[in-house]
Amino acid sequence: MAAKGRLFFLLLVLCLFAGSRITAAATNPQDAAALKSMKKKWSNLPKSWTKKSSNDPCDQWDGVICNGNSRVTLLNLFGMSLKGTLSDDIGSLTELRVLDLSSNKDLGGPLTPAIGKLIQLTHLVLIGCSFSGTVPNELGNLAQLEFFALNSNKFTGSIPPSLGKLSKVTWLDLANNSLTGRLPNSRDNGAGLDQLLNADHLPFVAILTKIC
């Protein structure tokens, strides 16, 4: 419960801080096209995403916040009962800072490696969905990432050593998945979780250590 409280507070602060949501200018064409393509893979969308009069995501779509340059910087669809998969189009939202799709239990399938293109991302929160397969190695490209939560999904396989490159991460949670194998370390792999010197929340480490 404490972790959930911290997460809700964090996202509330981010939403209030991101008060730069624009109302006059249209959404950047690249971002608008990406969002419209992504929603084709989803059902149970928020009503604001489906109205014929809602053509401008930055101005009219719930959960979308943009900066003064009409670029999408926050996508928060927490608990919207979304169904479907996350398409590669997410990689086109190159100014995204916060991505939260948590508590959508019917949102799943393989997690697209295209998330690794979101090099401005500071918060990746996909708690309580149904993402499966391996954790993409490309997530190690998210050099600005501070909060990283993929817990309570259906991931399998081992933890990619590339996550050791996330030097700014303070919160990394992969618990309640079906991950196996040894914890990657820099001595054996060139990169590893031992390099996450700023991380103070790694609850899955003890679990995997017991398994191994």
Side-chain angles (χ1 to χ4, degrees):
M1 291 299 294
K4 288 185 177 180
R6 175 176 174 177
L7 177 59
F8 293 154
F9 176 77
L10 173 65
L11 290 175
L12 177 61
V13 170
L14 285 167
C15 289
L16 292 174
F17 180 77
S20 56
R21 182 169 182 161
I22 61 173
T23 57
T27 307
N28 174 274
Q30 172 178 306
D31 290 359
L35 289 171
K36 290 175 182 178
S37 183
M38 286 167 58
K39 78 173 187 176
K40 293 178 182 178
K41 300 288 186 178
W42 294 341
S43 58
N44 283 359
L45 287 160
K47 290 183 179 179
S48 60
W49 285 52
T50 59
K51 291 181 179 179
K52 292 183 179 180
S53 59
S54 299
N55 293 318
D56 186 359
C58 284
D59 186 29
Q60 300 166 317
W61 288 14
D62 291 337
V64 177
I65 290 181
C66 303
N67 61 19
N69 294 320
S70 306
R71 297 301 307 274
V72 176
T73 57
L74 183 148
L75 181 59
N76 180 8
L77 296 175
F78 175 92
M80 292 289 187
S81 299
L82 296 176
K83 295 182 179 181
T85 59
L86 183 61
S87 72
D88 293 346
D89 299 284
I90 187 68
S92 295
L93 302 178
T94 52
E95 289 297 319
L96 200 64
R97 265 65 171 178
V98 177
L99 175 61
D100 186 354
L101 302 177
S102 297
S103 295
N104 290 290
K105 64 183 181 64
D106 293 314
L107 180 64
L111 185 61
T112 172
I115 291 182
K117 297 178 180 180
L118 306 178
I119 58 174
Q120 303 296 334
L121 204 65
T122 61
H123 293 73
L124 176 59
V125 194
L126 304 177
I127 303 169
C129 298
S130 293
F131 291 107
S132 59
T134 58
V135 176
N137 184 65
E138 289 81 0
L139 297 185
N141 297 333
L142 305 178
Q144 302 303 315
L145 206 61
E146 300 172 7
F147 192 100
F148 183 11
L150 303 185
N151 45 304
S152 301
N153 280 277
K154 299 178 180 180
F155 290 111
T156 57
S158 59
I159 297 174
S162 63
L163 298 190
K165 297 188 293 183
L166 305 178
S167 60
K168 294 186 177 182
V169 160
T170 60
W171 183 290
L172 198 163
D173 198 338
L174 297 171
N176 298 320
N177 284 287
S178 297
L179 297 169
T180 58
R182 295 185 177 278
L183 295 173
N185 63 76
S186 57
R187 182 185 62 187
D188 297 333
N189 302 285
L193 300 188
D194 55 307
Q195 295 174 303
L196 302 181
L197 302 181
N198 292 317
D200 57 14
H201 183 84
L202 296 167
F204 62 93
V205 170
I207 297 174
L208 273 183
T209 300
K210 290 180 181 178
I211 293 175
C212 298

